[in-house]
Amino acid sequence: MICSVRTLLGFELASVIVNDSVTREAITRKQERELLRFIKEDKHFCRYYDAIYILFHTGLRISEFCGLTVSDIEFGNQRIKVDHQLQRTTQMQYVIQEPKTESGIRYVPMSEEVAACFRRIIANRAMPDVEPMIDGHVGFLFLDKNERPMVALHWEKYLQHIVEKYNKIYRIQMPKVTPHVCRHTFCSNMAKSGMNPKTLQYIMGHADISVTLNVYTHVQFDDAQAEMLRLAKA
C-alpha cells in the first residue's frame, strides 16, 4: 500500500511504501495494565515482573533484551546501550550477533520506572559460580537454572504460562502475548501518544521508516477522535 504522508506530527515525508504483508499485534493499554498487575501480584510469576515491565516499556527486541549485561545499563545517562543481541542456535550454541542493521545500534532512553526495574534486577541477580562469557560479553542480567544466559524461548514460555494462568482465573480472556507483542505494544502506545515517527524509528531500531509508519495505520475511530480533539485544543 502506498500512502502519501505530509506534515505528520511536525515533519514532512514524501510518498512512503508501507509494508502490510506482516500482521503485527498489540494489546490495549488496559490489557497491558491488567496483565502487569496480575504478574506483580502472583506469588510465582512476580519474579518476572520487572523484566516484563521493561519489555513493555522500552520496545527492545527480545534478542537485544537477552543480550543485556550490567555494563549496558547506564543509570547516569538514563539509557540502555544496544549494540548486540544474544542468540542460541539449534545446536544449543550461544552466539553474540550485531543488530540486523546499523539502525539497531542505538541508545534507548529509560524512564524512572524502567530504571527502578533494572536496579532491582541487578540487586537480586544471583552470582554464578563462574560468570558465563559469550564472545567476550559477561555480566548477563538474566541467567537460567544452569547459570547460562536466558534466551528468547525462556521469555516466550514464561509469558505463555502467565497468560494461561490468567485466562483460567478471569472470564475476560487475555490474548496471546509474546515478547514481540510487548515490543509492538510499546511502539503502538508511543505512536498513539503522538511521538514523532522519526524519534520512534530511532528508539525501535527500525532501518526503514515504513516499518514504523505501519504502526500509525493501526488506529481506530477512538484514536482519530482523540487526536482531532487534541489538535482542536492546541
Side-chain angles (χ1 to χ4, degrees), residues 109-168:
M110 287 193 294
S111 66
E112 290 291 344
E113 292 79 9
V114 167
C117 288
F118 274 122
R119 287 191 175 94
R120 286 191 293 269
I121 288 168
I122 293 172
N124 296 327
R125 179 180 180 272
M127 292 300 294
D129 293 333
V130 177
E131 281 283 358
M133 177 180 289
I134 312 295
D135 296 338
H137 292 262
V138 295
F140 293 96
L141 295 182
F142 309 102
L143 303 178
D144 64 17
K145 62 183 179 180
N146 297 317
E147 299 187 342
R148 302 296 292 167
M150 289 186 185
V151 294
L153 184 62
H154 288 92
W155 296 104
E156 289 169 3
K157 289 296 183 182
Y158 296 153
L159 283 165
Q160 176 186 337
H161 296 322
I162 288 167
V163 171
E164 286 175 352
K165 184 173 183 180
Y166 181 99
N167 287 340
K168 287 180 180 178

Side-chain angles (χ1 to χ4, degrees), residues 2-233:
I2 299 178
C3 64
S4 180
V5 184
R6 183 172 295 276
T7 62
L8 178 58
L9 299 181
F11 76 106
E12 288 197 356
L13 291 172
S15 293
V16 179
I17 299 176
V18 178
N19 179 12
D20 285 333
S21 62
V22 179
T23 300
R24 295 177 175 84
E25 300 295 338
I27 61 175
T28 67
R29 290 181 186 270
K30 181 180 179 183
Q31 288 171 327
E32 178 191 327
R33 289 193 298 269
E34 288 297 317
L35 184 62
L36 286 172
R37 177 194 59 78
F38 173 75
I39 297 169
K40 190 173 187 178
E41 295 176 358
D42 186 86
K43 292 182 179 179
H44 175 71
F45 293 122
C46 61
R47 71 188 73 179
Y48 306 124
Y49 172 80
D50 287 329
I52 294 173
Y53 184 96
I54 291 168
L55 287 175
F56 270 120
H57 291 87
T58 59
L60 289 171
R61 296 180 177 91
I62 188 59
S63 55
E64 297 168 342
F65 178 77
C66 293
L68 290 176
T69 65
V70 174
S71 63
D72 294 321
I73 315 304
E74 301 183 1
F75 291 108
N77 294 317
Q78 287 290 101
R79 67 187 189 181
I80 307 162
K81 182 174 68 176
V82 182
D83 62 1
H84 64 276
Q85 54 184 336
L86 176 68
Q87 303 278 7
R88 189 173 66 185
T89 69
T90 54
Q91 290 76 37
M92 303 299 287
Q93 296 295 314
Y94 294 81
V95 294
I96 292 291
Q97 297 179 337
E98 293 183 355
K100 294 180 180 179
T101 67
E102 290 184 4
S103 300
I105 300 175
R106 63 202 189 280
Y107 288 100
V108 175
M110 287 193 294
S111 66
E112 290 291 344
E113 292 79 9
V114 167
C117 288
F118 274 122
R119 287 191 175 94
R120 286 191 293 269
I121 288 168
I122 293 172
N124 296 327
R125 179 180 180 272
M127 292 300 294
D129 293 333
V130 177
E131 281 283 358
M133 177 180 289
I134 312 295
D135 296 338
H137 292 262
V138 295
F140 293 96
L141 295 182
F142 309 102
L143 303 178
D144 64 17
K145 62 183 179 180
N146 297 317
E147 299 187 342
R148 302 296 292 167
M150 289 186 185
V151 294
L153 184 62
H154 288 92
W155 296 104
E156 289 169 3
K157 289 296 183 182
Y158 296 153
L159 283 165
Q160 176 186 337
H161 296 322
I162 288 167
V163 171
E164 286 175 352
K165 184 173 183 180
Y166 181 99
N167 287 340
K168 287 180 180 178
I169 296 172
Y170 296 101
R171 179 177 59 84
I172 299 177
Q173 300 288 279
M174 186 69 61
K176 182 178 180 179
V177 178
T178 66
H180 183 73
V181 169
C182 297
R183 172 172 162 83
H184 187 57
T185 298
F186 168 82
C187 192
S188 296
N189 287 342
M190 294 301 98
K192 291 178 180 180
S193 297
M195 179 177 282
N196 184 300
K198 291 297 290 183
T199 301
L200 186 53
Q201 179 191 6
Y202 169 80
I203 292 173
M204 297 299 293
H206 290 154
D208 190 338
I209 187 64
S210 69
V211 177
T212 312
L213 287 176
N214 200 34
V215 178
Y216 288 82
T217 69
H218 297 168
V219 298
Q220 306 298 323
F221 170 76
D222 290 345
D223 303 313
Q225 185 179 52
E227 182 68 3
M228 291 291 288
L229 291 172
R230 184 186 70 80
L231 292 174
K233 294 177 181 179

